[in-house]
Amino acid sequence: MFLINCPYCGEREQSEFSCGGEAHISRPKNPPDTSDDQWADYLFMRKNIKGVQFERWNHSSGCRQWFNVVRNTSTDEILGIYNMGEAIPEIDGENPKTPSGEPEIGSGNISTSFKKK
Amino acid sequence: MILNRENAVIELKDQTIKEYGGIEFQEIAFAQKINLRGNSNNKSFMTLQGKLLDAVLPTKSNTYTNNGKIKILWLGPNEWLIVDEDKKNNELFLKLEKSDSHEESAITDVSENRTIIRIRGKKIFNLLAKFLVIDLDKNLSNDSSVVQTLFVKVPIILVRNNSNVVEIDLYVNRSHANYVYNLLVDGTKNLDF
Ligand SMILES: [Zn+2]
């Protein structure tokens, strides 16, 4: 559990919100011209960063508005909140190094993590 | 048309007022409620709706306006809930529907969706604090406060009616009304902590 500062309602409990996954994924401009691989990439492929991740959140049990959150997924520290359509803010800091040398992207388990061709 | 309407909370039939641990409970059933959508940055929409309703649409988050007859609750930057407690029919809705409303707006009659459980008493905050995680002193600080939150996973709206004797209206969907009411009544035990 952690608190999220809704840009409209102020600080509220995380349980009032729902996470809408990775932010800043734009629909290909011309779908007929995209290959199956590109389309699948747009539809399904998401980063799963251990560290600083840009996400969309919705205050579903409050004002029902969408906004962007910069969250460190390993500490749940919220590093920034900004409105939809706004430019990606610059965030300082490095992703934490893990002792076992896990990849920065993936489930944390090398044997099951997705590798692109 | 709905015939033989029944209020939602079984124990609060026929406008009964029940008292537990110094807190009074009453159900305000069948109040007319209208959901209004529109762009608060659009001046013509805001003026038109204001004129039609003879009230100001609140633009400040988590507040409501009250013109003595109706309350208008802020639900989001482009969404409001118009509440008329006296009207047990859809008069206001029909009036809004007939009028030349703004092209970029929508009204929906949501009267049957939620019921209102009115609670009154000194220790209301102690009672609500047992179920809510929000900062009540901050979020329900005065007689224009509205909060949308979760009550043991049930979506609710809290409206503070006045500033001295604390009276709060809890809006909850009808199907969860008894569940919320029973929890509140149970919570009135041991309010001195
Ligand atoms: Zn909100």
Side-chain angles (χ1 to χ4, degrees), chain B residues 142-157:
Chain B
N142 60 56
D143 58 359
S144 64
S145 306
V146 172
V147 190
Q148 300 170 86
T149 186
L150 292 173
F151 182 104
V152 198
K153 299 202 173 174
V154 176
I156 57 157
I157 306 174

Side-chain angles (χ1 to χ4, degrees), chain A residues 1 3 5-17 59-65, chain B residues 35 37 61-62 74-79 114 133-134 138-139 146-150 155-156:
Chain A
M1 291 280 209
L3 294 171
N5 200 358
C6 168
Y8 302 93
C9 306
E11 219 165 52
R12 296 291 183 86
E13 177 81 4
Q14 179 233 325
S15 56
E16 287 186 14
F17 298 82
H59 192 188
S60 45
S61 300
C63 60
R64 287 173 297 287
Q65 297 299 305
Chain B
N35 188 283
R37 301 295 303 254
S61 60
N62 303 311
W74 180 96
L75 295 185
N78 50 20
E79 189 175 11
R114 297 188 185 93
V133 280
I134 54 161
K138 199 173 93 186
N139 288 296
V146 172
V147 190
Q148 300 170 86
T149 186
L150 292 173
I156 57 157

Side-chain angles (χ1 to χ4, degrees), chain A:
Chain A
M1 291 280 209
F2 51 93
L3 294 171
I4 297 175
N5 200 358
C6 168
Y8 302 93
C9 306
E11 219 165 52
R12 296 291 183 86
E13 177 81 4
Q14 179 233 325
S15 56
E16 287 186 14
F17 298 82
S18 16
C19 183
E22 194 182 331
H24 306 295
I25 291 174
S26 47
R27 186 185 162 92
K29 288 258 153 41
N30 199 359
D33 289 349
T34 54
S35 67
D36 285 356
D37 266 3
Q38 284 168 320
W39 191 251
D41 197 48
Y42 156 68
L43 275 188
F44 305 114
M45 297 313 172
R46 297 292 180 264
K47 287 174 196 149
N48 185 17
I49 297 167
K50 187 166 196 169
V52 178
Q53 181 157 277
F54 293 78
E55 297 169 334
R56 298 175 305 167
W57 282 77
N58 181 267
H59 192 188
S60 45
S61 300
C63 60
R64 287 173 297 287
Q65 297 299 305
W66 285 95
F67 53 94
N68 293 308
V69 173
V70 191
R71 182 173 67 100
N72 186 331
T73 57
S74 53
T75 58
D76 273 343
E77 187 187 357
I78 290 173
L79 303 157
I81 286 175
Y82 55 105
N83 284 325
M84 300 310 271
E86 263 178 48
I88 304 172
E90 294 223 0
I91 301 295
D92 293 340
E94 250 176 51
N95 281 348
K97 292 273 177 288
T98 51
S100 54
E102 294 158 1
E104 283 184 359
I105 294 173
S107 66
N109 180 346
I110 295 170
S111 60
T112 58
S113 68
F114 171 78
K115 271 249 171 71
K116 248 189 151 180
K117 282 176 268 179

